[in-house]
Amino acid sequence: MNIVILGAGALGVYFGGRWLESGAEVSFLVREKRAAQIEANGLKINSTHGDYELKNPHITTEPDKIESPDIVLVGVKGFHLEGTFNQLQTLTEKGAYILPVLNGIEHIEILQNKFGKDRVLGGLSYIFAALNDKGHAEQAGNMHHLYFGPLDPSQEAICEKLEHMSKNSGFISKKSSDMMYELWKKYMFISALSGVTTAANLPIGAVREHGETFHIAKMIMREIQSLAKHYGTVISDDDVEAALQNARSLDSEATSSMHKDRRKGLRLEVDHIQGGAVRMAEEKGLEVPSLRTVLGLIKPFETPE
Ligand SMILES: NC(=O)C1=CN([C@@H]2O[C@H](COP(=O)(O)OP(=O)(O)OC[C@H]3O[C@@H](n4cnc5c(N)ncnc54)[C@H](OP(=O)(O)O)[C@@H]3O)[C@@H](O)[C@H]2O)C=CC1
Ligand SMILES: CC(C)(CO)C(=O)C(=O)O
């Protein structure tokens, strides 16, 4: 099985590296600047689950040069999704399935409309990871989960192959038969966690210390629960409670990747995550006041000056 990693960022390096470590065929499709950084510093994973230096990884800036791709893992930020379309066009024409691992929901339909429902698999990740100054992936904590599964019945076989390939890959892989349910649950969790930590500019521990602030996370989760129902996915009250429990159990210093980006002065995915929820709510005539509030509070920090 040939895996292409589109976007050698934190998730791309982590999961691509782990597949490579287990003996899979992996290519990294990157842009010029990142290619130069990898040329200079190599690729490494520093992780609580074991470090790994990627030996002679196949790096390319040209999708044409990739032969027989089976799956392309898309690990870019939401605001870079459109910029991957030409690369994805080339790869899907060669037979690749798209496995997006972005946070959010809107990108699923965007990709399906562009490349066909049969091409887009369901994917998501629970992991705390970031690139360091050298462009190496730093992963912290226990979570390093990759969920995937079919969004179309024709994708069963490729998902089974991926499941088989990932069995010994050193991360936790979960094949789900209901990826829309998993995607909405993750969307609920991340909209709340990234919303409160980024808007308050505080890690989760400090948010939890202030009941009124943590309450906003709960309100966002309830709004996403209602939004999911309008889009045909039922998230139960127990699911909301489990997500809140997850937020309660995180280390005090833990925070969302969006908040980390705010601290570093990087561009934020707020339009893709909270903005996407507000747009989808508007389409259904649904009020989502907490999401609108955190969107408004984070917006001024969306783009670096
Ligand atoms: N980090 C985390 O802990 C988690 C992140 N996520 C989600 O996963 C997604 C990816 O996040 P993350 O890995 O942190 O992001 P990063 O910012 O670390 O990496 C994104 C990478 O995409 C690259 N890229 C963008 N456009 C292209 C393109 N057209 N061709 C090739 N490469 C491209 C960027 O490279 P360049 O240097 O060229 O700009 C960058 O290296 C996000 O949606 C995020 O919300 C989900 C769970 C956890
Ligand atoms: C909360 C977390 C780490 C869970 O995967 C995440 O998705 C993010 O910060 O973007």
Side-chain angles (χ1 to χ4, degrees), residues 1-5 69-73 96-99 121 158-159 162:
M1 180 117 109
N2 286 332
I3 303 280
V4 181
I5 304 292
D70 293 301
I71 288 181
V72 49
L73 179 144
Y97 288 89
I98 299 169
L99 176 64
L121 306 173
I158 188 73
C159 289
L162 186 61

Side-chain angles (χ1 to χ4, degrees), residues 83-112:
T84 64
F85 286 175
N86 287 342
Q87 294 152 305
L88 290 176
Q89 188 66 42
T90 305
L91 295 169
T92 51
E93 278 167 11
K94 291 180 178 207
Y97 288 89
I98 299 169
L99 176 64
V101 293
L102 286 77
N103 277 319
I105 283 282
E106 269 189 327
H107 61 277
I108 298 290
E109 199 178 321
I110 292 172
L111 288 168
Q112 287 175 331

Side-chain angles (χ1 to χ4, degrees), residues 39-175:
E39 173 86 32
N41 300 336
L43 277 182
K44 251 192 101 174
I45 296 171
N46 301 319
S47 161
T48 44
H49 300 284
D51 297 351
Y52 176 63
E53 184 161 356
L54 286 67
K55 300 268 183 328
N56 303 317
H58 178 224
I59 310 290
T60 182
T61 55
E62 295 172 65
D64 297 340
K65 297 231 167 108
I66 298 174
E67 282 171 29
S68 321
D70 293 301
I71 288 181
V72 49
L73 179 144
V74 181
V76 303
K77 293 272 169 65
F79 46 79
H80 279 148
L81 186 67
E82 211 179 318
T84 64
F85 286 175
N86 287 342
Q87 294 152 305
L88 290 176
Q89 188 66 42
T90 305
L91 295 169
T92 51
E93 278 167 11
K94 291 180 178 207
Y97 288 89
I98 299 169
L99 176 64
V101 293
L102 286 77
N103 277 319
I105 283 282
E106 269 189 327
H107 61 277
I108 298 290
E109 199 178 321
I110 292 172
L111 288 168
Q112 287 175 331
N113 289 341
K114 181 85 188 153
F115 300 103
K117 278 199 162 181
D118 61 324
R119 284 294 104 191
V120 185
L121 306 173
L124 64 86
S125 169
Y126 286 92
I127 188 170
F128 283 103
L131 289 187
N132 64 20
D133 290 347
K134 288 185 172 167
H136 298 162
E138 302 274 351
Q139 181 275 330
N142 291 331
M143 284 194 306
H144 60 158
H145 298 51
L146 182 69
Y147 284 65
F148 54 83
L151 294 179
D152 184 272
S154 65
Q155 299 165 341
E156 195 54 50
I158 188 73
C159 289
E160 274 170 21
K161 275 191 186 172
L162 186 61
E163 184 181 32
H164 183 71
M165 194 194 88
S166 303
K167 270 208 171 100
N168 301 315
S169 58
F171 59 81
I172 298 170
S173 66
K174 292 200 173 175
K175 178 172 166 287

Side-chain angles (χ1 to χ4, degrees), residues 11 77 101 103 125-129 143 145 186 189-190 193-194 246 250 255-260 269 273:
L11 265 57
K77 293 272 169 65
V101 293
N103 277 319
S125 169
Y126 286 92
I127 188 170
F128 283 103
M143 284 194 306
H145 298 51
K186 174 73 199 280
F189 180 66
I190 195 59
L193 186 74
S194 67
N246 193 358
L250 293 173
T255 200
S256 62
S257 57
M258 190 192 289
H259 180 217
K260 285 182 196 157
E269 265 183 318
I273 299 180

Side-chain angles (χ1 to χ4, degrees), residues 171-188:
F171 59 81
I172 298 170
S173 66
K174 292 200 173 175
K175 178 172 166 287
S176 165
S177 55
D178 194 350
M179 272 310 292
M180 284 319 295
Y181 172 58
E182 297 299 341
L183 278 158
W184 274 104
K185 276 196 299 180
K186 174 73 199 280
Y187 193 36
M188 173 173 76

Side-chain angles (χ1 to χ4, degrees), residues 193-254:
L193 186 74
S194 67
V196 288
T197 55
T198 314
N201 201 11
L202 290 170
I204 190 64
V207 167
R208 282 191 307 245
E209 278 169 25
H210 300 278
E212 297 88 342
T213 317
F214 193 65
H215 184 71
I216 299 169
K218 188 173 178 178
M219 298 310 292
I220 292 175
M221 287 189 189
R222 290 273 175 220
E223 288 175 10
I224 298 271
Q225 180 189 29
S226 167
L227 187 62
K229 198 170 174 198
H230 280 76
Y231 281 87
T233 295
V234 175
I235 295 180
S236 69
D237 289 346
D238 284 352
D239 293 329
V240 176
E241 190 43 48
L244 280 168
Q245 198 44 43
N246 193 358
R248 283 187 200 110
S249 67
L250 293 173
D251 284 351
S252 296
E253 283 313 306

